[in-house]
C-alpha cells in the first residue's frame, strides 16, 4: 500500500522539467521509493547496479507537454524533434516517434538508431560541424534532412551527389549571435562557436546554394545553448531567425521550416527554477508570429529540438554503496559502484544533482557525506558535501535527473562496463539495454601473434 505520495516534491505535473523527481514517484509504507510502480531497491537487486532507470510516464509527459504547447500557442504548423544526443536507443526513438516527434541526429550511430526504430526519414535531421563523407552519403541516400553547418558540408555534398540523383533536403544552420547564461562548454549561440555559419556569411551562402541543382533548401536553424533558464534569448532568436527567413525568401529559397534548436533547462537541485515547457514554447511561438507579422512573412512550420527537457527527469541512476572513509574534522566519503564513467557531468561541468537512499527516502537521521565514484581519479565525485539519510554498505543510492547526457556521454574509463537501462511503467520493468560485461570490453582488442607466448 502506498501511504505517502511525495506531492510536495512533484511541483509541476504539467512540465516534468520543473521537477527533480519522476512524476510517478511514490513512497511506500516502509519509506521506500517506487517509480513507475516499481520498487527501486528491487530493480537494483534484479538487474544489478549501477542501473539506469527510465520512467516511461515522465518521458511521455514531456513529449506531450511540447506537442500540446505547440498546438496551443502556435498558429502555424509545427514539428518537435527530439535531440537524440541526450540519450539514444531503439526504445527511446520509438517512444518519441509514437508521441509525434521527429529526431535530430549527429552521427551515423544516432541515425541508424532512429531509422531502425522506424522513424520516417523526412522527420530526421542530420546535424554536425564535421560530418564525414560517409555520414553525408548515408544521410543523403536515406533522404533525411541534412543540416548544413559549413562550407565543407556543401563542398562534400557537391562531390558526392550524382548529377542524376534526387535533390538533397537541406536546412542551414547559422550562429545567431545571442549570448545566454549557461556553462561555456554548452553555449553555442554566441559568435565564437564552432557550430554554424557566421551571420555575416549567411547571405553569400544562401546565394551560393542557389547554384546547385541538387540543393533544396527547406529551412533555417539556430540553437543558442543548453540548460538555459532565461526566456529572453529565445525571444530574441525569433527576430534573428525571421530576418534570416526574409533574406532567404528574397534570394529565392521558398523556405518553409524554422528550427529554433533546444536548450530549455531542467531542475537538477531545489534552487533551480527553469521555465515550464509551455512558457518556453509560448515565448518562441508568439515571438515568431510577431516577428513574421512585422516582416510580412507567412508563418513557417516551427521546429524545435529539445533533448534534456524531454528525457532527463525520467531518469534515475541506482548505485550500491560500498566503502566509507571518514577523515575526522574534514569529510566523510562514501563510495558507490559507478561514477564518472556512467555520469561524467559532475567532473566535466561541476554539475550538481539530487540524491536519496532509495529504501529510506525520508530518513530523518541525516549526515553530511561526499559521494565518490570508484574510478582512479580524485575528481570522480558525484555529490560534494551532501546531506543524505544515514546509509551503510549495501544500501542503494539513487541519483535523480540522469536521463539526459549520462548514458550518451558515458565511457569505459578504467575498463568499467556500461550499466544496463530498464524502462518502468505501471509496475512493470523492461530491460531496454543490456549491461556491458568486462569481456565485452575485450571484443575489439587484438593481440598480434608475436605477443603470444607459444612455448
Ligand atoms: N540542438 C542542437 C543543435 C544541439 O546542439 C543541442 C544540444 C540540442 C538541440 C539539445 O539541447 P537540449 O535541449 O538538450 O539542451 N553535454 C551537455 C549538453 C550538451 C548539449 C549539446 N547540444 C550537458 O551534459 O549538459
Amino acid at each position: 500500500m502506498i501511504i505517502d505520495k511525495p506531492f510536495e516534491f512533484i511541483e509541476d505535473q504539467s512540465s516534468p522539467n520543473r521537477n527533480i523527481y519522476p512524476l510517478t514517484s511514490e513512497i511506500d509504507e516502509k519509506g521506500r521509493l517506487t517509480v513507475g510502480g516499481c520498487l527501486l531497491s528491487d530493480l537494483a537487486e534484479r538487474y544489478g547496479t549501477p542501473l539506469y532507470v527510465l520512467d516511461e510516464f515522465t518521458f511521455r509527459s514531456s513529449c506531450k507537454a511540447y506537442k500540446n504547447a505547440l498546438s496551443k500557442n502556435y498558429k502555424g504548423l509545427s514539428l518537435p524533434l527530439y535531440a537524440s544526443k541526450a540519450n539514444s536507443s531503439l526504445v527511446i526513438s520509438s517512444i518519441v516517434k509514437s508521441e509525434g516527434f521527429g529526431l535530430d541526429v549527429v552521427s551515423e550511430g544516432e541515425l541508424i538508431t532512429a531509422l531502425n526504430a522506424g522513424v520516417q526519414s523526412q522527420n530526421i535531421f542530420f546535424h554536425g560541424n564535421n560530418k564525414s563523407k560517409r555520414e553525408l552519403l548515408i544521410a543523403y541516400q536515406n533522404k533525411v534532412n541534412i543540416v548544413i553547418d559549413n562550407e565543407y558540408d556543401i563542398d562534400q555534398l557537391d562531390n558526392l551527389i550524382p548529377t542524376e540523383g534526387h535533390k538533397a533536403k537541406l536546412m542551414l544552420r547559422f550562429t545567431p549571435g545571442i549570448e545566454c547564461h549557461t556553462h561555456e562548454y554548452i553555449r553555442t549561440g554566441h559568435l565564437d562557436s564552432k557550430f554554424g555559419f557566421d551571420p555575416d556569411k549567411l547571405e553569400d551562402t544562401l546565394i551560393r546554394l542557389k547554384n546547385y541543382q541538387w540543393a533544396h533548401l527547406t529551412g533555417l536553424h539556430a540553437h543558442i545553448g543548453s540548460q538555459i533558464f532565461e526566456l529572453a534569448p529565445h525571444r530574441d532568436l525569433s527576430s534573428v531567425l525571421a530576418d534570416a527567413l526574409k533574406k532567404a525568401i528574397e534570394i529565392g529559397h521558398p523556405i518553409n521550416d524554422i528550427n529554433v534548436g533546444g536548450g530549455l533547462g531542467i531542475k537538477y537541485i531545489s534552487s533551480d527554477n527553469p521555465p515550464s515547457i509551455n512558457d518556453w514554447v509560448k515565448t518562441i511561438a508568439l515571438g515568431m508570429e510577431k516577428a513574421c507579422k512585422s516582416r510580412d512573412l507567412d508563418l513557417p512550420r516551427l521546429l524545435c529540438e529539445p533533448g534534456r527537457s524531454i528525457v532527463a527527469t525520467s531518469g534515475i541512476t541506482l548505485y550500491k554503496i560500498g566503502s566509507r572513509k571518514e577523515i575526522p574534522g574534514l569529510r566523510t566519503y562514501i563510495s558507490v559502484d559507478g561514477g564518472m564513467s556512467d555520469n561524467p557531468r559532475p567532473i566535466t561541468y561541476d554539475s550538481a544533482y539530487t540524491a536519496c537512499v532509495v529504501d529510506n527516502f525520508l530518513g530523518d537521521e541525516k549526515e553530511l557525506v561526499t559521494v565518490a565514484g570508484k574510478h582512479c581519479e580524485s575528481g570522480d565525485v558525484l555529490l560534494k558535501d551532501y546531506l543524505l539519510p544515514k546509509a551503510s554498505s549495501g544500501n542503494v543510492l539513487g541519483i535523480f535527473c540522469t536521463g539526459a547526457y549520462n548514458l550518451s556521454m558515458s565511457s569505459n574509463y578504467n575498463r568499467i562496463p556500461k550499466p544496463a537501462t530498464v524502462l518502468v511503467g505501471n509496475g512493470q520493468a523492461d530491460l531496454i539495454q543490456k549491461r556491458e560485461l568486462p569481456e565485452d570490453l575485450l571484443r575489439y582488442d587484438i593481440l598480434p601473434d608475436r605477443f603470444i607466448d607459444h612455448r
Side-chain angles (χ1 to χ4, degrees), residues 199-242:
D200 290 347
K201 303 252 170 62
L202 186 64
E203 188 162 345
D204 287 351
T205 311
L206 288 167
I207 293 168
R208 182 180 173 200
L209 281 174
K210 286 294 295 170
N211 299 330
Y212 301 107
Q213 68 89 30
W214 52 262
H216 177 206
L217 187 68
T218 61
L220 295 171
H221 174 284
H223 168 79
I224 57 177
S226 199
Q227 184 60 0
I228 299 170
F229 287 1
E230 307 153 285
L231 290 172
H234 285 100
R235 197 175 301 126
D236 299 345
L237 182 61
S238 308
S239 316
V240 176
L241 280 163

Side-chain angles (χ1 to χ4, degrees), residues 14 26 73 83 92 96 115-116 139 193 205 254 334 355 406 415 421:
S14 67
E26 289 179 324
N73 297 301
I92 287 180
V96 293
L115 289 171
N116 278 283
S193 164
T205 311
I334 59 174
N406 272 230
R415 287 233 143 170
T421 305

Side-chain angles (χ1 to χ4, degrees), residues 85 104 173 186 223 226 263 305-308 345 349 405 409:
K85 70 204 79 188
D104 137 15
R173 176 173 182 172
I186 53 178
H223 168 79
S226 199
E305 46 191 24
R308 188 192 315 266
R345 298 193 72 259
Y349 315 114
Y405 303 116
M409 288 175 64

Side-chain angles (χ1 to χ4, degrees), residues 66 83 85-86 104 106 127 173 183 185-186 188 195 221-223 225-228 259-265 268 280 304-310 345 349 351 353 404-406 408-409:
Y66 272 100
K85 70 204 79 188
D104 137 15
V106 299
H127 275 279
R173 176 173 182 172
H183 194 288
Y185 292 0
I186 53 178
T188 55
F195 298 105
H221 174 284
H223 168 79
S226 199
Q227 184 60 0
I228 299 170
N259 186 335
V260 298
L264 173 61
Y268 283 102
W280 187 83
C304 58
E305 46 191 24
R308 188 192 315 266
S309 54
I310 296 282
R345 298 193 72 259
Y349 315 114
S351 306
Y353 281 89
Y405 303 116
N406 272 230
S408 62
M409 288 175 64

Side-chain angles (χ1 to χ4, degrees), residues 343-411:
N343 184 359
R345 298 193 72 259
I347 199 167
T348 313
Y349 315 114
D350 218 6
S351 306
Y353 281 89
T354 301
C356 74
V357 177
V358 300
D359 274 353
N360 187 17
F361 188 82
L362 300 168
D364 29 45
E365 204 195 333
K366 296 210 162 63
E367 64 170 341
L368 198 65
V369 292
T370 287
V371 176
K374 63 178 276 135
H375 302 82
C376 293
E377 179 112 3
S378 301
D380 177 26
V381 161
L382 293 172
L383 300 147
K384 207 177 250 167
D385 297 331
Y386 192 91
L387 210 53
L388 197 70
K390 230 173 159 37
S392 39
S393 313
N395 286 163
V396 177
L397 181 93
I399 296 193
F400 297 95
C401 297
T402 56
Y405 303 116
N406 272 230
L407 171 63
S408 62
M409 288 175 64
S410 63
S411 75

Side-chain angles (χ1 to χ4, degrees), residues 129 149-150 191-196:
N129 64 307
D149 200 271
N150 48 48
L191 294 176
D192 182 9
S193 164
K194 70 170 181 170
F195 298 105

